[in-house]
Amino acid sequence: MKNPYEEEAARYMAALQTIGSAIDDLAVTAPPPSGPLSRRARKVTPAVIRRWIAELRSGKSRPIDPSKDPNVLADEMEGELKIMAVMEQAGSVLQRLNNSLLSAIGTKAEKTLAEARIIYREARELARTTDDEALKECVRRMDRALGRGARRKAQSRKG
């Protein structure tokens, strides 16, 4: 029988491999200049970039650098659009992986806590019915860890 953790890990690895090439592509590109963006630069969306590409290809606009061919610049901009699309896809894959992992951790924690409560109740009942001092001491430590021992001591002082 195959380990269920291996199957789960294989699913995560397959999802990460789909975005691995995009991350490799981004690693070789130069980072954007640091500092705050202008208002115009912040409003550059893929639709705006596609409009600029169409204007460059139709001859409606020219690059700022006159020595640069408009079609070459349009090709570069299309490449940047592809990178943006891959980054958005990678972000959604990573978000799904994050949600899945958080859900799995939460479920496992709930199961573990429920099992620990059962063990605590059984140990407490067994400590009441036997004379095993080691078990009674373990139950007292569990009570202190749960904060119950301090409340019982405070109640016994009042009464």
Side-chain angles (χ1 to χ4, degrees):
M1 182 174 167
K2 196 171 185 182
N3 186 341
Y5 296 113
E6 290 176 6
E7 293 173 6
E8 194 172 342
R11 280 197 329 264
Y12 292 134
M13 289 305 295
L16 288 173
Q17 285 175 350
T18 60
I19 61 172
S21 62
I23 292 171
D24 292 340
D25 290 344
L26 291 174
V28 294
T29 61
S34 61
L37 295 173
S38 68
R39 184 173 179 180
R40 181 180 172 128
R42 282 193 307 256
K43 295 198 178 230
V44 175
T45 63
V48 170
I49 295 172
R50 283 192 291 276
R51 188 169 47 246
W52 290 344
I53 291 170
E55 289 174 359
L56 284 169
R57 293 207 190 277
S58 69
K60 224 180 199 182
S61 67
R62 304 269 316 148
I64 294 173
D65 182 5
S67 65
K68 191 149 194 158
D69 182 31
N71 287 321
V72 172
L73 181 60
D75 291 340
E76 289 175 6
M77 292 171 79
E78 283 178 347
E80 294 295 323
L81 273 177
K82 288 177 185 175
I83 289 175
M84 288 171 65
V86 169
M87 286 180 61
E88 287 178 14
Q89 180 186 7
S92 73
V93 167
L94 289 173
Q95 186 63 41
R96 283 195 312 260
L97 282 174
N98 182 41
N99 292 341
S100 175
L101 285 171
L102 288 174
S103 175
I105 289 169
T107 302
K108 290 183 192 314
E110 287 175 15
K111 287 180 182 178
T112 304
L113 184 59
E115 291 170 359
R117 286 181 181 143
I118 291 169
I119 292 170
Y120 167 70
R121 286 187 206 110
E122 289 176 1
R124 188 177 62 193
E125 187 60 36
L126 189 59
R128 285 184 195 149
T129 59
T130 65
D131 291 333
D132 187 358
E133 288 302 318
L135 179 61
K136 289 180 180 182
E137 180 58 31
C138 285
V139 170
R140 281 192 288 274
R141 278 194 234 139
M142 284 188 245
D143 280 335
R144 281 191 298 261
L146 292 171
R148 294 182 178 162
R151 277 187 261 145
R152 287 189 181 147
K153 287 178 185 175
Q155 288 173 353
S156 64
R157 286 184 206 147
K158 288 180 183 178

